[in-house]
Amino acid sequence: MGGYSLINIDSAPHAETRFRMIYPYLGEIDSDDGDKLWVFWPPDGATDLQWDAAIYKHISMRNCDLVIPRKTPPPAVARLFDRRLIFSAPSIGGPVNLGCLEDCTQIAQFLASFHRDVHGFVPEPQRNRGDDLLVRWKRRKRRLTEFVRIAEHRSSPGLIDKFLSRIQNELMEQVDNGLRSLSKSLYPNLIMDKGCVCFYHYSKELFWRKGAKVAPWTFTGCVWDIPVVDLYRFLYHLTSYSGYSVVWIEKSIEAYERTRPLSNEEKPVLKSLFLFPERVYRIFSTYYLTRRECSHRRLLQRLINEWGRSDERLMQRFL
């Protein structure tokens, strides 16, 4: 698996040590005292590792329920790994199931507690905070315009080209509605004044059960953003598992607001975030910008499925 190196355990001094891969960058080993340990070594740069350590220290001091306890220094068996190994932890619990409503509401509760406890905390070293969503969405609008131009000028357009040509007016209208709504919201003010540490990527590998609660493995993927955008990213990911279930979205937001209620400034922003046709853009981007082998018919089926669903209608049910 790319991104890390692992010394061949069979030829190492601890040849009797058993190692089991759980996910990429996450494994389970037998420690020197006979306990099972989880070990994690991320494929990220030094700044990510420093942020991970700073955020973990801050959160564990504020609320130990929000972290998986780490062993420091790592056990002697950790010498089998390269220097990118950053921590080990007691082997407890099990992975969350994003196809389970209870697990998803627990993640929402975790997010609310996390956003509350990192408020005002700025980890060192400070990073370039990058482009905000408005800048990224404008860039994606330009790309979609270029995709339309390519689709219309191909001498032998494919099925996806024809599909884009047919929906281009409605698609660009959705893009403009999303941009207009986000611009009129208080998002520009919030991103300047209410920023905090947030997660960026969500996956089933990120969270693990810790008794009756859930906690993340790592904070290496964290970015500087605002809580409502972080909540949107989680809900966006959740729709893949729930089949755009309004009930799942409602329950997750209710769970979040029990700990950290959304303000009157944040609710319009959340609705605006769902107006932009993010999934449809990503599928077209895969088709026009990547060279990897993919089934065009499968992509077309995904497009048809996503185009038939409306994030806007979904959000209007409860916002």
Side-chain angles (χ1 to χ4, degrees):
M1 298 182 181
Y4 66 87
S5 60
L6 175 65
I7 295 175
N8 186 346
I9 290 180
D10 292 335
S11 60
H14 294 72
E16 71 280 2
T17 298
R18 290 185 300 173
F19 171 79
R20 180 172 69 91
M21 205 65 194
I22 301 176
Y23 295 124
Y25 316 112
L26 175 64
E28 183 181 69
I29 59 175
D30 293 336
S31 70
D32 302 306
D33 56 9
D35 293 335
K36 291 187 180 298
L37 293 174
W38 283 327
V39 289
F40 177 82
W41 58 105
D44 304 303
T47 302
D48 284 323
L49 301 186
Q50 292 175 38
W51 261 47
D52 172 85
I55 297 169
Y56 173 83
K57 180 179 179 181
H58 175 81
I59 293 297
S60 59
M61 292 175 64
R62 294 289 299 271
N63 189 346
C64 61
D65 287 339
L66 301 183
V67 297
I68 295 175
R70 302 178 179 182
K71 281 198 171 186
T72 42
V77 70
R79 297 170 188 162
L80 297 174
F81 297 82
D82 64 16
R83 294 179 181 178
R84 305 186 80 166
L85 174 67
I86 61 170
F87 73 81
S88 60
S91 183
I92 57 175
V96 299
N97 177 11
L98 291 178
C100 170
L101 177 58
E102 181 182 357
D103 283 13
C104 292
T105 55
Q106 287 180 342
I107 294 175
Q109 289 176 330
F110 162 84
L111 275 181
S113 299
F114 178 80
H115 293 154
R116 178 196 60 201
D117 289 346
V118 296
H119 178 72
F121 168 67
V122 182
E124 297 290 343
Q126 295 189 30
R127 297 178 177 179
N128 180 352
R129 297 179 182 180
D131 298 333
D132 63 33
L133 274 177
L134 281 171
V135 174
R136 293 201 294 270
W137 282 7
K138 290 175 182 177
R139 185 161 57 239
R140 290 177 179 182
K141 179 184 177 180
R142 292 194 296 270
R143 285 177 178 169
L144 281 172
T145 302
E146 183 64 16
F147 296 162
V148 170
R149 189 192 66 80
I150 293 172
E152 291 182 335
H153 288 82
R154 275 185 170 163
S155 56
S156 301
L159 293 173
I160 295 178
D161 300 311
K162 294 177 181 178
F163 187 83
L164 176 57
S165 298
R166 182 166 63 86
I167 68 169
Q168 60 173 294
N169 292 335
E170 188 176 351
L171 176 61
M172 298 310 293
E173 183 179 355
Q174 286 189 16
V175 171
D176 289 337
N177 286 341
L179 280 167
R180 189 181 308 112
S181 180
L182 193 61
S183 298
K184 291 181 178 179
S185 73
L186 292 176
Y187 171 78
N189 296 335
L190 292 173
I191 197 68
M192 291 293 295
D193 303 329
K194 302 293 180 66
C196 71
V197 173
C198 296
F199 290 91
Y200 186 73
H201 295 292
Y202 285 89
S203 66
K204 64 181 180 180
E205 294 90 352
L206 178 61
F207 292 97
W208 205 262
R209 286 207 155 278
K210 183 188 174 188
K213 300 180 181 295
V214 298
W217 270 110
T218 175
F219 302 99
T220 52
C222 285
V223 296
W224 191 266
D225 215 318
I226 56 176
V228 68
V229 173
D230 202 9
L231 176 61
Y232 159 73
R233 290 195 188 101
F234 169 64
L235 296 175
Y236 173 88
H237 188 75
L238 177 60
T239 56
S240 299
Y241 290 86
S242 67
Y244 284 75
S245 168
V246 174
V247 173
W248 282 46
I249 302 297
E250 288 177 338
K251 294 294 185 183
S252 296
I253 291 183
E254 288 174 3
Y256 183 92
E257 291 199 289
R258 281 197 291 270
T259 300
R260 183 187 177 276
L262 293 171
S263 68
N264 292 332
E265 298 173 329
E266 291 176 314
K267 288 182 179 180
V269 174
L270 183 58
K271 181 177 179 180
S272 298
L273 294 172
F274 274 90
L275 293 178
F276 191 88
E278 182 74 24
R279 293 187 188 279
V280 173
Y281 165 79
R282 288 180 181 272
I283 296 173
F284 281 125
S285 179
T286 298
Y287 177 70
Y288 286 104
L289 296 181
T290 65
R291 296 183 177 182
R292 66 186 184 193
E293 292 293 328
C294 59
S295 169
H296 290 177
R297 287 190 176 275
R298 184 175 299 173
L299 278 181
L300 180 62
Q301 187 60 54
R302 285 178 57 197
L303 271 172
I304 293 172
N305 292 339
E306 295 297 342
W307 188 246
R309 296 163 172 166
S310 171
D311 287 341
E312 179 179 1
R313 288 196 298 271
L314 183 71
M315 297 304 291
Q316 284 175 343
R317 285 285 299 275
F318 54 87
L319 286 179

